């Protein structure tokens, strides 16, 4: 039986990226929501809800980046060259956020506000620039003779900037629904209220993106609206709408786990829509996964190690979430 290694590696990168968005999304979402909370004890609860697992969440972005470098080196080189500025700013914000996360647990009382602000700003900027990268990827890159031929500020256009704000709202939704599941009392009530408004913003963003992308990018419009593709793809927006309705309903009836599950499904369908829009190009608008692929021998060699490491990552991630499941209460601390 013949296996297409490029497709397998594309699936691995998609899986790693989706795992990162899901797991680090609610983690970053907590930092995004913290400016809206004034009570220091509630802030402690918010941070403690992710303290046992947040380091492991970022394993997936490392796996995705390393896989892209090894399996599709052309795509890696073009993306790094085209998006040097937003990727660098994202990494600086991510590092600063991580330092602030650890230091706030040990900070003197008069330093706590500084580290809280650092954590909030780092979370917001990390998320914003991740969204910018996604938007720039949809717009595509100018590649000539397998080298990026555009400018360093090509990403600084309205659509990537809008995607940056859109991802901030998405992660805020993941964060608020995570806190509904993990907290109780006044903080949980606050998150029920916030989630209602964040969902309205999120639905508005989904509608705008759904209109903007086919109008601005004819290839995407053809992919979604030509026949028979339309018949096969229409379930994606329909299911997204149903899930948004279910999320709103679960907030009204004050369910605890359902809102987070529904938020994850919204992210899943949104990610599926992105994949449908650009497939099979890993460097839109015209370089496919096969054009950008490393030699088959390199992909095969890497696949052996990946087949070993991914189950290990899944096992310890599942175990850590199981061990630290349940509600987080005031006064409980992981550090």
């Amino acid at each position: 039986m013949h296996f297409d290694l490029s497709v397998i590696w594309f699936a691995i990168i998609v899986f790693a990226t989706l795992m990162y968005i899901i797991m680090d999304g609610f983690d970053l979402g907590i930092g995004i929501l913290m400016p809206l909370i004034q009570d220091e004890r509630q802030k402690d609860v918010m941070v403690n809800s992710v303290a046992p697992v947040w380091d492991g969440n970022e394993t997936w972005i490392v796996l995705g980046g390393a896989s892209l470098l090894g399996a599709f080196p052309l795509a890696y080189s073009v993306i790094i060259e085209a998006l040097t500025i937003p990727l660098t700013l994202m990494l600086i914000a991510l590092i600063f956020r991580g330092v602030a996360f650890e230091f706030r647990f040990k900070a003197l009382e008069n330093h706590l506000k500084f580290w809280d602000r650092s954590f909030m700003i780092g979370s917001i900027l990390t998320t914003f620039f991740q969204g910018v990268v996604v938007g720039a990827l949809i717009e595509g890159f100018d590649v000539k003779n397998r080298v990026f031929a555009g400018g360093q500020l090509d990403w600084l256009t309205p659509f990537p900037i809008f995607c940056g704000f859109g991802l901030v709202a998405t992660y805020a939704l993941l964060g608020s629904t995570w806190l509904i599941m993990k907290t109780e009392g006044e903080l949980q009530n606050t998150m029920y209220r916030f989630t209602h408004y964040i969902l309205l913003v999120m639905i508005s963003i989904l509608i705008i993106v759904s209109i903007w992308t086919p109008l601005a990018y004819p290839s995407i419009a053809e992919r979604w609206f030509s026949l028979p593709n339309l018949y096969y793809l229409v379930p994606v927006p329909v299911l997204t709408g149903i899930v948004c309705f279910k999320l709103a309903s679960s907030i009204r009836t004050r369910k605890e786990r359902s809102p987070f599950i529904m938020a994850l499904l919204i992210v899943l369908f949104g990610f599926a829509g992105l994949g449908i829009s650009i497939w099979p190009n890993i460097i839109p608008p015209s370089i496919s996964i096969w054009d950008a692929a490393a030699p088959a021998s390199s992909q095969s060699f890497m696949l052996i190690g990946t087949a070993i490491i991914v189950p290990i990552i899944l096992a310890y991630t599942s175990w850590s979430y199981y061990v630290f499941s349940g509600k987080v209460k005031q006064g409980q601390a992981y550090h």
Side-chain angles (χ1 to χ4, degrees):
M1 183 182 294
H2 174 70
F3 296 100
D4 191 323
L5 291 172
S6 294
V7 174
I8 292 172
W9 272 109
F10 185 77
I12 291 170
I13 292 170
V14 167
F15 175 72
T17 304
L18 184 59
M19 290 294 287
Y20 172 76
I21 291 172
I22 288 173
M23 293 188 160
D24 213 36
F26 66 79
D27 181 345
L28 288 160
I30 287 171
I32 293 167
L33 292 167
M34 276 184 71
L36 305 175
I37 303 297
Q38 303 303 318
D39 190 315
E40 294 298 330
R41 293 172 301 175
Q42 291 186 4
K43 289 180 180 179
D44 289 340
V45 173
M46 292 170 71
V47 174
N48 285 331
S49 73
V50 294
V53 297
W54 80 280
D55 280 321
N57 292 344
E58 294 173 355
T59 304
W60 296 103
I61 196 172
V62 177
L63 175 64
S67 299
L68 184 66
L69 171 61
F72 304 103
L74 174 60
Y76 184 89
S77 66
V78 169
I79 291 170
I80 292 296
E81 178 70 18
L83 302 176
T84 299
I85 294 174
L87 286 173
T88 301
L89 292 173
M90 182 199 77
L91 290 173
I92 291 172
L94 197 60
I95 292 167
F96 199 61
R97 172 183 178 273
V99 171
F101 190 98
E102 296 293 343
F103 275 34
R104 77 175 302 281
F105 286 104
K106 302 171 178 64
L108 299 174
E109 188 173 347
N110 58 331
H111 293 167
L112 185 59
K113 287 188 182 298
F114 171 80
W115 292 117
D116 273 348
R117 291 192 188 101
S118 300
F119 178 64
M120 298 171 200
I121 293 170
S123 299
I124 293 169
L125 290 181
T126 297
T127 304
F128 175 77
F129 285 113
Q130 285 180 9
V132 167
V133 168
V134 172
L137 183 67
I138 294 172
E139 280 202 326
F141 306 113
D142 183 13
V143 180
K144 295 178 181 176
N145 298 320
R146 299 176 67 85
V147 175
F148 175 63
Q152 285 298 312
L153 296 178
D154 286 0
W155 57 273
L156 197 57
T157 57
F159 185 73
I161 299 301
F162 182 81
C163 288
F165 289 114
L167 196 63
V168 171
T170 302
Y171 284 2
L173 182 67
L174 289 174
S176 66
T177 52
W178 167 263
L179 289 170
I180 287 172
M181 184 172 65
K182 295 292 288 185
T183 64
E184 56 190 10
E186 185 181 348
L187 179 57
Q188 186 188 58
N189 291 334
T190 301
M191 289 303 144
Y192 274 121
R193 188 170 66 254
F194 284 172
T195 301
H196 172 75
Y197 295 111
I198 296 169
L199 178 60
L200 292 177
V201 173
M202 187 69 206
I203 292 172
S204 300
I205 290 169
L206 287 172
I207 292 172
I208 292 170
V209 170
S210 299
I211 296 171
W212 192 339
T213 48
L215 289 177
Y217 311 107
S219 60
I220 294 177
E222 183 179 357
R223 173 66 53 84
W224 281 91
F225 297 112
S226 62
L227 297 177
N229 289 5
L230 180 62
Y231 301 135
Y232 301 137
L233 301 180
V234 74
V236 175
V238 171
L239 289 173
T240 303
I242 292 172
V243 170
C244 288
F245 176 80
K246 291 288 290 181
L247 176 51
S249 176
S250 65
I251 295 300
R252 281 197 307 272
T253 55
R254 299 182 71 81
K255 300 286 179 61
E256 293 193 340
R257 293 183 179 275
S258 179
F260 185 62
I261 295 171
M262 294 301 109
L264 291 179
L265 287 175
I266 291 173
V267 171
L268 177 62
F269 288 130
F271 196 75
L274 170 64
I276 291 167
S277 296
I278 66 173
W279 171 263
N281 296 322
I282 198 167
I283 310 176
S286 59
I287 297 181
S288 71
I289 59 173
W290 300 283
D291 296 329
S297 56
S298 298
Q299 290 185 336
S300 298
F301 179 76
M302 288 175 54
L303 195 59
I304 297 170
T306 305
I308 297 171
I309 197 66
V310 168
I312 294 173
I313 297 172
L314 287 171
Y316 78 64
T317 299
S318 301
W319 178 249
S320 64
Y321 276 86
Y322 171 75
V323 169
F324 294 101
S325 61
K327 296 286 186 179
V328 177
K329 305 178 187 298
Q330 287 190 9
Q332 291 181 337
Y334 169 67
H335 283 63

